[in-house]
Amino acid sequence: MAKNLLIVESPAKAKTIEKYLGKDFTVKSSIGHIVDLPEKGLGVDIKDNFKPDYQVSSDKKKVVAELKKLAKAAEMVWLATDEDREGEAIAWHLYNELGLTPKKTKRVVYHEITKSAIEAAIKNPREINKDLVDAQQARRILDRLVGYELSPILWKKIKPSLSAGRVQSVAVRVIVEREREITAFGVTSFFKVVGYFSSNGVSFKAELDKKFNTEKEANEFLNKLKGTEFFVKNQEKKPSKRTPSAPFTTSTLQQEASRKLSFSVLQTMRVAQTLYERGDITYMRTDSVNLSQLAIDAAKEEIEKVYGDKYAQTRQFKTKSASAQEAHEAIRPTNFSIKATTSEEYNEQRLYELIWKRAIASQMADAEIEKTVITIGNKATENNFIATGEVIKFDGFLKVYMESSEDEGEEEETEGQLPMVNTNDKVGLSHIDAVQRFTQPPSRYTEASLVKKLEGLGIGRPSTYAPTISTVQKRGYVVKETREGTERKYNVLTLKDNEITSVTKTEITGAEKSKLFPTDVGIVVNDFLISNFAEILDYNFTAHVEEEFDIIADGKLAWQKMLKDFYKPFHATVEKTTAVKERASGERLLGQDTNGKNVFVKIGRYGPMVQIGDTESEEKPRFAKIRADQRMESMTLEQALELFRLPRKVGVYEDKDLDVSIGRFGPYIRHDGKFYSLPKEDDPYTVKEDRAIIVIEEKRKKEREKVIQILKRDPEPEIQVLNGRYGPYITTDKEIYKIPKDKEPAKLTLEECLEIIKADKASGKKKRKFFPKKKA
DNA sequence: CAGTGAGCGAGCTTCCGCTTGACTT
């Protein structure tokens, strides 16, 4: 038994550190937080000065028991959790749960996993910083109060199972507001003029320094240029340089992996986790752009070896984010001399390469660039045509890495080569285009650009960006969608050989790929929260409470005092809002039907719907769910009435009615108490009796083919051999068993089936239920 | 797993931040 027990948060980290420390140390991990507030109930006693009811998390009981045993046997316990608010709290929880004493406990911290850093940390132990722990308690309890007091209001006022929180509600707000900006955006068109010139055998283009509002003005301008001459009015050369970006943080990794590899933020984190566990990269949840000196030296050595001395230029980057806690290094390869991971998995290879390039480039020389601007004049006009060109004099870091542009919507301005010219040189004209362009609304967020936005607001942490994005989608506030654009016509005027011609072309506009759109529910919840809880939804709310957490961490404010000051007015608003009777349904009156009854669109307990007739009237109103491709905001009276054409009776089959409707899982036919899904190509509003019968018969045929054989047992439940979506399988007692490839499903005997079941059970794999309920 | 939607009411839902796990006819 080792004399020393050192505890870190991550198991992969524990393995690495154990190698550095030698046999006197056992290194174990807590696997994150070990205690938390209970999932059910508030878990905070408001009356007893916000006393939290901490409990060992159910999935950490085993970890805590093992650590406790090891701690008891050790002479000294070293708490080496991260040096940030959460890490300090984990150390404190460990201290409490493991029953440690000041005499046999030491708190150590480091910001990088290198041998020297760990050894230095061991030489400089300190005590647990209770002020920092208190700041974490304030953070934790504030989030609980906000989340668990706001969410139930939404259940009551809007619909069950919704949620609200300091982070997720602002994320939804960002998406809703962007959508409104796009809707409100007035697209206007203008004419952009581009001349195609040549000089000394080099063709180049130059853009006019003026845009025209109308086609008429553009036409007049081109007319003026008929038969005139162009000359070089001015030429300028300016040296400039480009500096590499900092190595990746979690947020920038997610953004670049999204742009360059089309990864979702979740996918990026999963792949990065694998690389981390393989030991290929450093920790992937970080807000720091720092590299250890060891890493910088290693990068320099690699750059000099591969690209030559003049390509190396080491630098230390500084974080721009005020909320950064910098407990780790930036994300980098653990070994710079390894250019590719040994993993066979394609996505792991691609992400590793991206991380390697970005980290290496960050320690490479600036790129030296010469910018050239040629101004082309014409005596017939005061306006000039401007040609810009760039020549890379020294590529520097660009040899390895080029950051992707942020505005994917922008047109690619490929700058060609410019000719060598002198002032007053005449230049030849090929033609001039005046092209109709349109102003662009702001672009919708991708998952990754939303992360960037949240990070900029100081909201969320590297470990929560991906979960937050998935929460707002799971709650149905936001959907990630790819939408096809629409065609748009635009005009092009061309001046060539002293003649002006006009053509109309078409382009696709408004196409979106994997972008975030707010749903009706998201919009209604957002508007409700903003009108009632403006403070929480304020973009500066997190920044403001973070300032207070910092004061607590400095020991200048008691965490209970901070919570009290926040909670009193907050809870009063909660009470006041709860007392209001009306639901917040986003109700909108669309008009009246032929009987003069009011027709509404609103959100009900099961989502957006249309309603005919008033709720207060004697007669029960009629309801219909709106279709997936419809939006409350753009719903018309005609569309609403159309929805009431369902359910429709389309005929009779085997003396029973055939009814067609749309349910939770799409359009279906109901016949004799059974449901038959209507295939995509059939329209529930027009489908006829004969077609409905075909659909029913097809399903019956499949049902018949589903059963390969049934083997009766008594008293145990029978064994069924069935044809499933993925081929034949055996099932009994709600469990599913795979059939070995060498067996023929139709000829399986009862004995063989039992053998397969026995073998499967013995393999020790845990079975998943057919429709798994939520985890316990 | 598919007819819901007001209201009555039981009992359910929910936060953010730290970590990895287990595995699919």
Side-chain angles (χ1 to χ4, degrees):
Chain A
M1 175 53 65
K3 284 187 283 202
N4 297 286
L5 172 66
L6 186 124
I7 306 174
V8 297
E9 293 177 36
S10 152
K13 206 186 270 181
K15 263 195 232 161
T16 312
I17 293 177
E18 190 149 48
K19 272 186 260 165
Y20 294 150
L21 285 178
K23 61 177 176 4
D24 281 348
F25 279 83
T26 302
V27 184
K28 292 281 170 191
S29 64
S30 70
I31 322 183
H33 273 293
I34 55 162
V35 307
D36 194 10
L37 300 172
E39 261 179 64
K40 285 204 193 314
L42 197 60
V44 178
D45 192 344
I46 310 285
K47 289 198 195 84
D48 192 2
N49 217 359
F50 299 92
K51 192 175 168 209
D53 173 19
Y54 292 130
Q55 299 176 0
V56 175
S57 316
S58 59
D59 55 337
K60 297 294 164 55
K61 293 233 158 77
K62 261 178 86 174
V63 178
V64 171
E66 199 208 338
L67 291 176
K68 199 168 180 176
K69 209 174 102 191
L70 291 169
K72 216 170 181 177
E75 282 169 27
M76 182 60 69
V77 178
W78 303 75
L79 301 175
T81 49
D82 297 347
E83 188 180 32
D84 57 18
R85 209 158 58 201
E86 300 297 325
E88 203 68 20
I90 295 174
W92 182 61
H93 294 146
L94 284 167
Y95 181 88
N96 293 332
E97 293 302 325
L98 305 186
L100 302 179
T101 58
K103 257 183 87 179
K104 82 179 257 188
T105 308
K106 280 180 174 149
R107 167 83 171 116
V108 288
V109 295
Y110 43 80
H111 298 102
E112 54 192 58
I113 311 296
T114 57
K115 193 164 194 279
S116 56
I118 306 294
E119 282 169 356
I122 296 287
K123 282 190 195 119
N124 295 293
R126 60 166 172 82
E127 279 166 16
I128 292 175
N129 178 346
K130 191 61 196 333
D131 292 331
L132 194 52
V133 172
D134 286 349
Q136 192 274 344
Q137 300 201 79
R139 198 282 304 155
R140 178 68 191 92
I141 296 168
L142 178 113
D143 281 337
R144 170 53 65 99
L145 295 172
V146 170
Y148 275 40
E149 293 214 355
L150 286 188
S151 300
I153 302 181
L154 299 181
W155 306 341
K156 199 174 157 216
K157 298 280 174 195
I158 300 172
K159 86 192 200 81
S161 305
L162 295 177
S163 65
R166 174 177 60 81
V167 172
Q168 59 168 284
S169 295
V170 176
V172 174
R173 176 178 186 171
V174 167
I175 301 296
V176 170
E177 288 190 346
R178 175 56 54 89
E179 196 66 25
R180 291 208 163 122
E181 281 173 51
I182 293 170
T183 311
F185 189 85
V187 175
T188 56
S189 83
F190 57 91
F191 282 78
K192 173 175 132 176
V193 181
V194 179
Y196 295 83
F197 303 98
S198 65
S199 175
N200 297 325
V202 178
S203 300
F204 63 100
K205 64 176 187 176
E207 190 181 333
L208 190 71
D209 56 9
K210 180 184 163 110
K211 294 176 169 66
F212 298 99
N213 289 327
T214 64
E215 182 165 347
K216 190 166 163 263
E217 288 172 61
N219 196 24
E220 280 166 10
F221 176 77
L222 292 184
N223 242 314
K224 271 201 295 195
L225 298 182
K226 274 187 187 170
T228 60
E229 282 187 339
F230 294 86
F231 62 94
V232 176
K233 204 169 180 179
N234 189 25
Q235 181 181 208
E236 247 186 306
K237 281 193 179 171
K238 279 186 285 192
S240 79
K241 63 174 191 176
R242 218 174 288 163
T243 309
S245 303
F248 284 130
T249 60
T250 302
S251 158
T252 54
L253 176 68
Q254 288 171 345
Q255 289 159 43
E256 280 288 273
S258 164
R259 289 192 285 246
K260 286 200 152 101
L261 310 177
S262 300
F263 283 7
S264 70
V265 300
L266 178 65
Q267 191 182 9
T268 299
M269 295 315 283
R270 275 198 192 141
V271 175
Q273 175 88 30
T274 312
L275 291 172
Y276 167 66
E277 283 170 12
R278 289 175 56 88
D280 290 345
I281 61 169
T282 56
Y283 195 55
M284 65 284 154
R285 287 184 278 261
T286 177
D287 51 19
S288 171
V289 287
N290 270 317
L291 292 181
S292 66
Q293 194 53 50
L294 200 78
I296 291 177
D297 294 344
K300 182 165 182 265
E301 196 186 318
E302 179 68 16
I303 294 162
E304 286 171 350
K305 200 175 88 196
V306 180
Y307 305 103
D309 288 6
K310 62 177 180 174
Y311 277 92
Q313 181 186 334
T314 63
R315 37 175 107 58
Q316 194 62 265
F317 293 85
K318 279 211 179 74
T319 179
K320 281 180 220 147
S321 157
S323 58
Q325 305 201 8
E326 309 199 71
H328 307 93
E329 273 189 86
I331 305 170
R332 63 164 174 91
T334 48
N335 185 342
F336 281 96
S337 67
I338 299 177
K339 210 169 169 175
T341 169
T342 54
S343 164
E344 309 253 307
E345 224 275 312
Y346 182 49
N347 284 337
E348 285 163 31
Q349 293 168 1
R350 292 203 296 164
L351 194 70
Y352 179 84
E353 190 187 342
L354 192 66
I355 292 167
W356 185 89
K357 284 184 170 173
R358 174 87 165 214
I360 279 278
S362 79
Q363 303 304 320
M364 288 178 75
D366 295 343
E368 285 164 32
I369 288 154
E370 188 178 75
K371 276 195 178 158
T372 306
V373 179
I374 300 176
T375 307
I376 308 286
N378 184 307
K379 296 230 163 72
T381 172
E382 292 166 3
N383 293 108
N384 298 309
F385 286 85
I386 313 288
T388 57
E390 252 189 27
V391 176
I392 295 175
K393 293 280 181 185
F394 173 60
D395 54 359
F397 77 94
L398 292 176
K399 202 173 193 73
V400 176
Y401 188 86
M402 181 95 84
E403 190 171 4
S404 295
S405 130
E406 280 177 16
D407 309 291
E408 302 132 89
E410 287 286 287
E411 288 163 61
E412 284 282 306
E413 285 287 333
T414 43
E415 283 164 339
Q417 231 202 322
L418 293 183
M420 302 285 288
V421 291
N422 294 309
T423 307
N424 293 325
D425 276 3
K426 275 183 191 160
V427 293
L429 175 70
S430 160
H431 63 282
I432 301 175
D433 283 341
V435 186
Q436 188 176 20
R437 301 306 324 144
F438 301 86
T439 51
Q440 299 248 22
S443 45
R444 291 194 176 82
Y445 286 95
T446 61
E447 289 188 351
S449 65
L450 178 59
V451 167
K452 184 182 181 185
K453 173 75 180 173
L454 293 177
E455 185 190 35
L457 292 167
I459 296 174
R461 303 277 314 130
S463 66
T464 60
Y465 295 137
T468 299
I469 300 261
S470 95
T471 298
V472 297
Q473 294 181 64
K474 236 183 350 209
R475 296 277 174 271
Y477 295 150
V478 167
V479 283
K480 184 165 83 174
E481 273 182 16
T482 294
R483 292 190 186 172
E484 281 177 30
T486 50
E487 275 194 356
R488 172 168 72 189
K489 289 195 173 6
Y490 68 100
N491 290 341
V492 181
L493 297 177
T494 302
L495 170 65
K496 188 170 183 170
D497 301 333
N498 291 326
E499 254 180 69
I500 297 174
T501 51
S502 170
V503 287
T504 300
K505 297 186 176 179
T506 57
E507 63 184 349
I508 300 292
T509 179
E512 294 281 30
K513 206 180 155 222
S514 292
K515 292 291 177 66
L516 301 176
F517 294 77
T519 63
D520 288 323
V521 175
I523 292 168
V524 169
V525 167
N526 178 253
D527 293 352
F528 173 80
L529 289 174
I530 288 183
S531 62
N532 291 285
F533 298 94
E535 187 199 359
I536 311 286
L537 272 279
D538 192 294
Y539 287 126
N540 291 316
F541 178 68
T542 290
H544 173 69
V545 292
E546 282 288 345
E547 276 173 26
E548 305 214 318
F549 296 152
D550 285 346
I551 300 173
I552 296 171
D554 275 347
K556 291 175 185 147
L557 174 64
W559 65 269
Q560 294 94 337
K561 167 89 168 78
M562 185 242 158
L563 286 178
K564 206 170 129 192
D565 291 347
F566 162 76
Y567 187 75
K568 216 181 151 204
F570 169 70
H571 187 70
T573 315
V574 168
E575 298 263 304
K576 198 181 86 195
T577 314
T578 313
V580 175
K581 254 193 155 285
E582 294 93 65
R583 287 170 56 88
S585 65
E587 180 176 291
R588 191 159 65 85
L589 181 66
L590 299 176
Q592 285 77 34
D593 72 351
T594 48
N595 299 321
K597 283 186 182 159
N598 284 332
V599 180
F600 304 97
V601 60
K602 64 199 266 194
I603 288 192
R605 282 198 286 154
Y606 305 96
M609 59 169 181
V610 286
Q611 173 182 334
I612 297 184
D614 290 282
T615 307
E616 303 80 29
S617 78
E618 297 274 303
E619 218 179 315
K620 192 180 185 297
R622 291 172 64 209
F623 305 95
K625 196 182 165 76
I626 77 172
R627 295 202 322 240
D629 58 347
Q630 292 175 324
R631 293 273 317 280
M632 270 170 66
E633 243 169 43
S634 57
M635 195 81 187
T636 63
L637 180 64
E638 290 68 37
Q639 289 169 342
L641 293 173
E642 176 87 351
L643 294 169
F644 287 97
R645 289 176 49 210
L646 293 178
R648 1 181 320 259
K649 183 179 157 183
V650 299
V652 176
Y653 183 50
E654 295 167 348
D655 295 333
K656 296 276 179 6
D657 285 352
L658 288 166
D659 294 310
V660 171
S661 193
I662 299 179
R664 270 224 298 150
F665 306 97
Y668 64 91
I669 305 163
R670 214 182 72 166
H671 176 252
D672 197 14
K674 287 202 179 75
F675 295 89
Y676 303 87
S677 286
L678 206 53
K680 271 207 188 83
E681 57 270 25
D682 290 301
D683 178 3
Y685 292 97
T686 56
V687 72
K688 298 219 171 54
E689 182 186 72
D690 50 350
R691 175 63 189 153
I693 293 169
I694 292 172
V695 171
I696 289 174
E697 281 306 325
E698 274 174 4
K699 167 119 188 243
R700 286 181 179 172
K701 188 168 165 242
K702 250 191 208 149
E703 288 277 292
R704 282 195 301 270
E705 284 169 0
K706 189 182 165 194
V707 179
I708 299 172
Q709 56 168 330
I710 291 183
L711 302 158
K712 293 244 184 260
R713 281 193 299 174
D714 222 25
E716 295 102 332
E718 63 184 26
I719 293 177
Q720 300 177 323
V721 183
L722 303 176
N723 230 330
R725 250 202 303 163
Y726 306 100
Y729 64 97
I730 299 173
T731 178
T732 182
D733 204 16
K734 287 179 187 148
E735 298 275 12
I736 282 163
Y737 307 93
K738 215 169 165 173
I739 299 174
K741 285 209 174 83
D742 55 330
K743 303 271 192 226
E744 180 141 349
K747 290 183 185 155
L748 280 171
T749 62
L750 183 61
E751 285 68 36
E752 283 177 307
C753 286
L754 289 172
E755 221 162 88
I756 290 168
I757 291 169
K758 211 173 126 193
D760 198 288
K761 281 192 170 151
S763 75
K765 273 191 240 161
K766 275 200 185 146
K767 283 279 167 193
R768 234 172 44 157
K769 290 282 179 218
F770 202 60
F771 288 109
K773 279 273 171 205
K774 265 198 67 181
K775 63 178 168 118

